[in-house]
Amino acid sequence: MTSTHSPRLAPLQDRWRQLAPRERAMLALMGVAIAAFVLWYGLYAPLRQAHADARARHVAAAATLAQVRAGLAHLAQLQDQLPAPPSSAEALKQALQASAAAAGLRLDQLREDGSGGLELESGAATPAQLFGWLDALRREHGLAPATLSVARNRQRLRVQARFEPATP
């Protein structure tokens, strides 16, 4: 019987044929043990670790999702507690003037913009006045500016804002 294997393997094949059947069985068993070792530590263990890591990431993502959903529910609850914003230009004007006076914010201009909204300007606000006023508008009147521009004017802030009445 002629061998179709490469000439490099011929010495190994000759050596294998010279081994006793018991030695061949022992070497085959050792080869199986080495293959099992390679499969276990080279394939199964890394896959098992990857699975455990994926499971941990899934648990963390599920916890984050639960936190986000709880936060959204809390925000929706807070939004429901806010009063309805003024729906007329006159009510909007009164709310802006009253809240500005309560915050100590002097309004230099308060004018209608032609589309039912109001534009206001204050040239000498402090950060505390501005943020107090914006927070009071949100909490007490359910208002937030449609546009807001704040620029530093020496030691004060120059504020320009536009408000729109709520649409029914």
Side-chain angles (χ1 to χ4, degrees):
M1 175 178 204
T2 59
S3 175
T4 59
H5 297 290
S6 76
R8 292 182 191 167
L9 294 180
L12 289 176
Q13 289 174 336
D14 291 340
R15 178 70 181 135
W16 181 258
R17 286 187 200 110
Q18 291 173 359
L19 294 175
R22 193 172 130 249
E23 291 172 329
R24 287 184 200 167
M26 182 182 69
L27 286 174
L29 185 61
M30 187 173 65
V32 168
I34 289 172
F37 177 83
V38 167
L39 282 174
W40 182 266
Y41 287 103
L43 184 64
Y44 181 73
L47 286 175
R48 188 176 59 188
Q49 184 61 45
H51 180 264
D53 293 346
R55 188 174 293 258
R57 285 191 310 272
H58 175 75
V59 168
T64 300
L65 178 62
Q67 289 175 337
V68 168
R69 285 184 175 160
L72 286 173
H74 182 68
L75 286 175
Q77 180 185 18
L78 291 175
Q79 186 68 29
D80 291 342
Q81 294 174 354
L82 291 176
S87 57
S88 71
E90 188 57 37
L92 177 61
K93 185 176 185 176
Q94 289 173 359
L96 291 173
Q97 288 173 328
S99 63
L105 182 69
R106 186 187 57 148
L107 299 179
D108 297 332
Q109 288 185 359
L110 181 60
R111 63 185 178 279
E112 290 189 35
D113 65 0
S115 64
L118 291 173
E119 292 179 354
L120 64 82
E121 193 171 315
S122 176
T126 65
Q129 289 171 329
L130 175 61
F131 291 118
W133 174 64
L134 290 172
D135 187 50
L137 280 174
R138 183 189 56 80
R139 284 184 293 108
E140 297 168 10
H141 303 284
L143 283 172
T147 62
L148 177 67
S149 172
V150 179
R152 186 175 247 165
N153 183 13
R154 296 188 190 109
Q155 297 300 324
R156 299 288 184 145
L157 300 175
R158 181 173 179 266
V159 180
Q160 294 176 316
R162 183 175 182 283
F163 290 86
E164 298 172 352
T167 54

PDB file of all heavy atoms in Angstrom, residues 99 103 127-137 139:
ATOM      1  N   SER A  99     -44.759  87.939  38.481  1.00  0.00           N
ATOM      2  CA  SER A  99     -43.633  87.100  38.882  1.00  0.00           C
ATOM      3  C   SER A  99     -42.317  87.868  38.830  1.00  0.00           C
ATOM      4  O   SER A  99     -41.439  87.657  39.671  1.00  0.00           O
ATOM      5  CB  SER A  99     -43.565  85.851  38.010  1.00  0.00           C
ATOM      6  OG  SER A  99     -43.341  86.210  36.665  1.00  0.00           O
ATOM      7  N   ALA A 103     -39.823  88.521  42.051  1.00  0.00           N
ATOM      8  CA  ALA A 103     -38.414  88.114  42.012  1.00  0.00           C
ATOM      9  C   ALA A 103     -37.467  89.312  42.086  1.00  0.00           C
ATOM     10  O   ALA A 103     -36.254  89.131  42.151  1.00  0.00           O
ATOM     11  CB  ALA A 103     -38.141  87.329  40.731  1.00  0.00           C
ATOM     12  N   PRO A 127     -28.022  86.963  38.470  1.00  0.00           N
ATOM     13  CA  PRO A 127     -28.329  85.545  38.224  1.00  0.00           C
ATOM     14  C   PRO A 127     -29.395  85.012  39.179  1.00  0.00           C
ATOM     15  O   PRO A 127     -30.276  84.255  38.768  1.00  0.00           O
ATOM     16  CB  PRO A 127     -26.987  84.849  38.433  1.00  0.00           C
ATOM     17  CG  PRO A 127     -25.968  85.886  38.098  1.00  0.00           C
ATOM     18  CD  PRO A 127     -26.571  87.182  38.586  1.00  0.00           C
ATOM     19  N   ALA A 128     -29.338  85.424  40.440  1.00  0.00           N
ATOM     20  CA  ALA A 128     -30.337  84.951  41.415  1.00  0.00           C
ATOM     21  C   ALA A 128     -31.733  85.421  41.023  1.00  0.00           C
ATOM     22  O   ALA A 128     -32.707  84.650  41.128  1.00  0.00           O
ATOM     23  CB  ALA A 128     -29.979  85.436  42.810  1.00  0.00           C
ATOM     24  N   GLN A 129     -31.852  86.672  40.590  1.00  0.00           N
ATOM     25  CA  GLN A 129     -33.166  87.176  40.173  1.00  0.00           C
ATOM     26  C   GLN A 129     -33.666  86.402  38.951  1.00  0.00           C
ATOM     27  O   GLN A 129     -34.829  85.986  38.908  1.00  0.00           O
ATOM     28  CB  GLN A 129     -33.088  88.665  39.827  1.00  0.00           C
ATOM     29  CG  GLN A 129     -32.906  89.574  41.015  1.00  0.00           C
ATOM     30  CD  GLN A 129     -32.612  91.004  40.584  1.00  0.00           C
ATOM     31  OE1 GLN A 129     -32.004  91.250  39.546  1.00  0.00           O
ATOM     32  NE2 GLN A 129     -33.042  91.958  41.415  1.00  0.00           N
ATOM     33  N   LEU A 130     -32.805  86.231  37.977  1.00  0.00           N
ATOM     34  CA  LEU A 130     -33.207  85.561  36.744  1.00  0.00           C
ATOM     35  C   LEU A 130     -33.653  84.125  37.012  1.00  0.00           C
ATOM     36  O   LEU A 130     -34.739  83.719  36.601  1.00  0.00           O
ATOM     37  CB  LEU A 130     -32.054  85.570  35.734  1.00  0.00           C
ATOM     38  CG  LEU A 130     -32.301  84.787  34.447  1.00  0.00           C
ATOM     39  CD1 LEU A 130     -33.480  85.350  33.677  1.00  0.00           C
ATOM     40  CD2 LEU A 130     -31.053  84.759  33.588  1.00  0.00           C
ATOM     41  N   PHE A 131     -32.831  83.359  37.713  1.00  0.00           N
ATOM     42  CA  PHE A 131     -33.175  81.965  37.941  1.00  0.00           C
ATOM     43  C   PHE A 131     -34.359  81.824  38.894  1.00  0.00           C
ATOM     44  O   PHE A 131     -35.191  80.928  38.729  1.00  0.00           O
ATOM     45  CB  PHE A 131     -31.964  81.170  38.437  1.00  0.00           C
ATOM     46  CG  PHE A 131     -30.909  81.010  37.378  1.00  0.00           C
ATOM     47  CD1 PHE A 131     -29.642  81.539  37.541  1.00  0.00           C
ATOM     48  CD2 PHE A 131     -31.190  80.358  36.195  1.00  0.00           C
ATOM     49  CE1 PHE A 131     -28.679  81.409  36.562  1.00  0.00           C
ATOM     50  CE2 PHE A 131     -30.240  80.213  35.201  1.00  0.00           C
ATOM     51  CZ  PHE A 131     -28.976  80.744  35.388  1.00  0.00           C
ATOM     52  N   GLY A 132     -34.458  82.708  39.882  1.00  0.00           N
ATOM     53  CA  GLY A 132     -35.626  82.700  40.774  1.00  0.00           C
ATOM     54  C   GLY A 132     -36.897  82.993  40.003  1.00  0.00           C
ATOM     55  O   GLY A 132     -37.938  82.357  40.209  1.00  0.00           O
ATOM     56  N   TRP A 133     -36.824  83.972  39.101  1.00  0.00           N
ATOM     57  CA  TRP A 133     -37.984  84.339  38.294  1.00  0.00           C
ATOM     58  C   TRP A 133     -38.386  83.189  37.365  1.00  0.00           C
ATOM     59  O   TRP A 133     -39.572  82.848  37.271  1.00  0.00           O
ATOM     60  CB  TRP A 133     -37.655  85.602  37.500  1.00  0.00           C
ATOM     61  CG  TRP A 133     -38.686  86.025  36.518  1.00  0.00           C
ATOM     62  CD1 TRP A 133     -39.957  86.438  36.777  1.00  0.00           C
ATOM     63  CD2 TRP A 133     -38.535  86.067  35.099  1.00  0.00           C
ATOM     64  NE1 TRP A 133     -40.603  86.752  35.617  1.00  0.00           N
ATOM     65  CE2 TRP A 133     -39.749  86.530  34.566  1.00  0.00           C
ATOM     66  CE3 TRP A 133     -37.493  85.775  34.246  1.00  0.00           C
ATOM     67  CZ2 TRP A 133     -39.954  86.706  33.208  1.00  0.00           C
ATOM     68  CZ3 TRP A 133     -37.692  85.954  32.880  1.00  0.00           C
ATOM     69  CH2 TRP A 133     -38.902  86.410  32.380  1.00  0.00           C
ATOM     70  N   LEU A 134     -37.431  82.589  36.672  1.00  0.00           N
ATOM     71  CA  LEU A 134     -37.743  81.478  35.767  1.00  0.00           C
ATOM     72  C   LEU A 134     -38.343  80.294  36.526  1.00  0.00           C
ATOM     73  O   LEU A 134     -39.290  79.656  36.057  1.00  0.00           O
ATOM     74  CB  LEU A 134     -36.492  81.042  35.005  1.00  0.00           C
ATOM     75  CG  LEU A 134     -35.974  82.012  33.946  1.00  0.00           C
ATOM     76  CD1 LEU A 134     -34.620  81.550  33.417  1.00  0.00           C
ATOM     77  CD2 LEU A 134     -36.971  82.178  32.810  1.00  0.00           C
ATOM     78  N   ASP A 135     -37.819  80.007  37.709  1.00  0.00           N
ATOM     79  CA  ASP A 135     -38.356  78.908  38.505  1.00  0.00           C
ATOM     80  C   ASP A 135     -39.767  79.215  38.987  1.00  0.00           C
ATOM     81  O   ASP A 135     -40.645  78.353  38.954  1.00  0.00           O
ATOM     82  CB  ASP A 135     -37.437  78.610  39.691  1.00  0.00           C
ATOM     83  CG  ASP A 135     -37.870  77.378  40.451  1.00  0.00           C
ATOM     84  OD1 ASP A 135     -38.089  76.324  39.796  1.00  0.00           O
ATOM     85  OD2 ASP A 135     -38.008  77.455  41.683  1.00  0.00           O
ATOM     86  N   ALA A 136     -39.992  80.458  39.427  1.00  0.00           N
ATOM     87  CA  ALA A 136     -41.336  80.843  39.875  1.00  0.00           C
ATOM     88  C   ALA A 136     -42.327  80.788  38.718  1.00  0.00           C
ATOM     89  O   ALA A 136     -43.480  80.378  38.906  1.00  0.00           O
ATOM     90  CB  ALA A 136     -41.302  82.239  40.486  1.00  0.00           C
ATOM     91  N   LEU A 137     -41.911  81.198  37.539  1.00  0.00           N
ATOM     92  CA  LEU A 137     -42.799  81.111  36.374  1.00  0.00           C
ATOM     93  C   LEU A 137     -43.223  79.666  36.127  1.00  0.00           C
ATOM     94  O   LEU A 137     -44.400  79.388  35.861  1.00  0.00           O
ATOM     95  CB  LEU A 137     -42.091  81.646  35.117  1.00  0.00           C
ATOM     96  CG  LEU A 137     -42.040  83.144  34.927  1.00  0.00           C
ATOM     97  CD1 LEU A 137     -41.184  83.487  33.721  1.00  0.00           C
ATOM     98  CD2 LEU A 137     -43.426  83.728  34.781  1.00  0.00           C
ATOM     99  N   ARG A 139     -43.140  77.031  38.337  1.00  0.00           N
ATOM    100  CA  ARG A 139     -43.906  76.445  39.452  1.00  0.00           C
ATOM    101  C   ARG A 139     -45.276  77.076  39.633  1.00  0.00           C
ATOM    102  O   ARG A 139     -46.252  76.378  39.882  1.00  0.00           O
ATOM    103  CB  ARG A 139     -43.134  76.580  40.760  1.00  0.00           C
ATOM    104  CG  ARG A 139     -41.990  75.611  40.914  1.00  0.00           C
ATOM    105  CD  ARG A 139     -41.303  75.719  42.272  1.00  0.00           C
ATOM    106  NE  ARG A 139     -40.615  76.997  42.424  1.00  0.00           N
ATOM    107  CZ  ARG A 139     -41.020  77.989  43.214  1.00  0.00           C
ATOM    108  NH1 ARG A 139     -42.086  77.857  43.946  1.00  0.00           N
ATOM    109  NH2 ARG A 139     -40.343  79.126  43.290  1.00  0.00           N
TER     110      ARG A 139
END
